Amino acid sequence: MERLKGFRDIFPEDAEPRKKIFRVAEEMSEKFDFSKIEFPSVEYLDLYRLKSGEELVGQTFSFVDRGDREVALTPEATPTVVRMLTSRKDLQMPVKWYSFQRYWRYEEPQAGRTREFQQYNADIFGIDSKEADSEVIGLACMILDELGLAGKYVMKLNSREFMETLLHELGVFDLEAAYSSLDKLKKTGRENTIAELEKSGVKKENAERILDLVENGYSPDGFPTESFSFLGNEVKKLERLIETGKLVSLYSKSDVVIDLSIVRGLTYYTGVVFEAYDTTGTFRSILGGGRYDRLASLMSDAEIPAVGFGMGDVIIEMLLKQSGLLQSEKQNRSVFICYSSEESYNILVSIGIELRKQGYRTSLSMSAKSLSSQLRQASKRGFRFAAIVGERELKAGTVTIKDLDSGIQQEVQVKQLSDFDSIFR
Amino acid sequence: MERLKGFRDIFPEDAEPRKKIFRVAEEMSEKFDFSKIEFPSVEYLDLYRLKSGEELVGQTFSFVDRGDREVALTPEATPTVVRMLTSRKDLQMPVKWYSFQRYWRYEEPQAGRTREFQQYNADIFGIDSKEADSEVIGLACMILDELGLAGKYVMKLNSREFMETLLHELGVFDLEAAYSSLDKLKKTGRENTIAELEKSGVKKENAERILDLVENGYSPDGFPTESFSFLGNEVKKLERLIETGKLVSLYSKSDVVIDLSIVRGLTYYTGVVFEAYDTTGTFRSILGGGRYDRLASLMSDAEIPAVGFGMGDVIIEMLLKQSGLLQSEKQNRSVFICYSSEESYNILVSIGIELRKQGYRTSLSMSAKSLSSQLRQASKRGFRFAAIVGERELKAGTVTIKDLDSGIQQEVQVKQLSDFDSIFR
């Protein structure tokens, strides 16, 4: 019996350290006053037809269910979250939601890309402002910092609103084609990008000018606004981006960069767009998002500004592993309880209940056979302490506690276990 | 745009309190030294054909994927967990794993039954003993107790190994039919069950005798073993069940009952089976599981004894709600930061970062317009404190902190916020 291609079995050696990713994202969301939502993993396929563009629809796990409905395994969060938002008329704006769900895409599996993945998402609805933009991007930064990645990533920002103006001014009419060319710039290089832009109808001199303007990233404080003065009054759109970048810098311990080549694939963005990359350039983007103010009105009669991002589990896990930040921590509060005769098992159960109440990870031996092999098992499995109920202890009503790190042991009364911390103090 | 029938949108008012269920199950698993695993939500349909019986296969969300594979959304954990287990030759037994995943069944939705649900699962592999049985069932009890349900549920135990002997002795040849009849006993009553047993070929007097023997539950200490002396030596199988029940009683603050009418639907159980019910009898079983020693050998050439259980999210959530145990807790460590001019926003961001570092749930106001409406918003959203950066505070380099419960307020220096707890001490 085999696993499906592109799907992962995650055994404890990976699943246990991975819990850190979910825990940090959840705790930071709460501190930022985002509230959790949960939603279906299956939706009508039409939900994606409406807004995601054919590329994504072509990559869905879609099928016809037993009730003859055309459905899809959710490929991304946003359409569902907007569906939920617009289904409720009683919500007080701003709404700040986060979620942690699984998604599926039928793409060719490769390093960093699986057909099933988990993704953290966070959005603020109801406010169109640089403050809301910066809060969402700030949350993203603080999650990465809290995971230990401060200084190991760059947060890159751009504005689709500004890019639209800039590209129109420079003779670009097929915006989607231009975004798609710029999106690949880092991979394909300047010359190929210019060639591609020309192919989509941009004059060579304009294409070169575009590349001159977008090729380099700048810190929000050192951004060369003057290079864009030819845009006249429209430069204001750039100012909002720069102001957002400055606010994000307050949150982040890593570099924040205005990078006009960051445009994001999805068609529905209307304002700020952002992506975080590892500084070594090894991986695809760690997370990404942006402002999408027109999506709610596409799906309902409500106009609801929105800004948010998603962070998949695959790249962040690879990056944390590579950085040595995803190791199992030594469990110092852990006890393995050994015994030498069946009749003491009741005592083991009672000790287990007591130690777990005190927060200890506690394992009862599953065989009374050899005390020394039980102790070896305790060491091998990384327990800090062994509690031994042997023949002598059973008669005397005692337990021997052994610190497996130091080898020091003490025989104590069972009732002393009600404050285990104190035994080796 | 609609949600699919049988699927749930879970908004913050439910999602936030629900986190308690996942947190308690995860923490208790860790204290019992179970390790987390994660696995695919999609498997080859054949994985379920092999062992779950046609009923379950008929209820799966199955489809043919773009690669022409016959696949299914996972309807239960066990086949996948056993697939993972048998794919690794290097695992040291016993293996203790837990998981928290989504599952799907194409059934008619009703109260307490959705087409998509989340389920906690825990299993011990590699040991066939009453100690392992009791540890798994004890874990189930302690999760329920920790959720606040002590005394509000009954843990009911039986043994399929014993039932097989008993039913054979009493002239039952179609075991599956008999299990299916007994499974419905509580719903359909004695007379219907006897009629059903007769229909499947059991003599009336035997059917009545079976009902006499299984109709009542007993505590492990008061079980009438003598009523089964006609089984001779086979009564030993009953003794293991009773001993398991006694061990489980050590873990549980609720009643533990030997109930021979608990047989469980799935065909693959070979030893102890158990289900927890709320004492008011309002709901279907809260959780259930059992021993399934032959499953690994069906799927591989390994023989691996196994015992485990699953707890879905739907019934436990309904029960906790009904018991008033799933309310949002008042967040006493929460601060809403208000301001009255755009230029103070940088200060808000810094205060926010500082307070979040101290673990406070902290929200920055998204509009500088009216301080009094910002304060109303803070109260309405349940914040305990407001931090106000108004005109005066901005000039003075101070912040006014208001306890929204008592109405008491204090103006403090910004740097005093580095120990927020101390301000109202």
Side-chain angles (χ1 to χ4, degrees), chain B residues 286-297:
Chain B
I286 307 167
L287 59 80
R291 176 164 287 284
Y292 52 101
D293 287 347
R294 288 195 285 268
L295 195 53
S297 63

Side-chain angles (χ1 to χ4, degrees), chain A residues 19 30 38-39 102 118, chain B residues 19 30 38-39 102:
Chain A
K19 286 195 279 191
E30 285 168 14
E38 300 172 65
F39 44 81
R102 293 193 178 203
Q118 292 178 52
Chain B
K19 287 196 278 192
E30 286 169 12
E38 300 174 63
F39 45 80
R102 292 192 179 206

Side-chain angles (χ1 to χ4, degrees), chain B residues 322-341:
Chain B
Q322 183 197 263
S323 312
L325 293 164
L326 214 54
Q327 286 150 350
S328 287
E329 283 155 38
K330 167 89 181 163
Q331 299 260 359
N332 277 317
R333 288 172 61 84
S334 61
V335 185
F336 189 89
I337 316 183
C338 314
Y339 67 130
S340 57
S341 88

Side-chain angles (χ1 to χ4, degrees), chain A residues 334-340 344-345 347-356 361-367 371 374-375 378 383 385-389 399-401 417 420:
Chain A
S334 61
V335 185
F336 189 88
I337 316 183
C338 314
Y339 68 129
S340 57
S344 1
Y345 192 76
I347 301 175
L348 262 65
V349 172
S350 307
I351 296 175
I353 291 170
E354 178 56 43
L355 295 182
R356 287 166 190 144
R361 185 175 186 113
T362 306
S363 206
L364 314 191
S365 175
M366 298 241 175
S367 159
L371 267 183
Q374 291 176 61
L375 284 169
F383 285 88
F385 298 102
I388 304 156
V389 185
V399 188
T400 298
I401 309 294
L417 298 178
F420 194 91

Side-chain angles (χ1 to χ4, degrees), chain A residues 3 6-19 21-22 102 114 116-118 313-314 317 321 326, chain B residues 35-41 43 80-81 83-85 87-88 91 97-101:
Chain A
R3 180 175 76 244
F7 288 76
R8 289 177 76 190
D9 289 338
I10 307 183
F11 289 89
E13 55 266 36
D14 287 324
E16 285 290 321
R18 264 167 62 92
K19 286 195 279 191
I21 302 172
F22 311 131
R102 293 193 178 203
T114 51
E116 176 175 50
F117 55 96
Q118 292 178 52
D313 60 337
V314 184
E317 185 182 1
K321 265 192 181 171
L326 213 54
Chain B
S35 300
K36 188 179 177 183
I37 56 168
E38 300 174 63
F39 45 80
S41 300
E43 293 273 10
T80 299
V81 177
R83 177 182 64 63
M84 283 177 70
L85 186 80
S87 76
R88 288 268 300 257
L91 296 170
W97 283 349
Y98 77 93
S99 59
F100 229 134
Q101 303 231 152

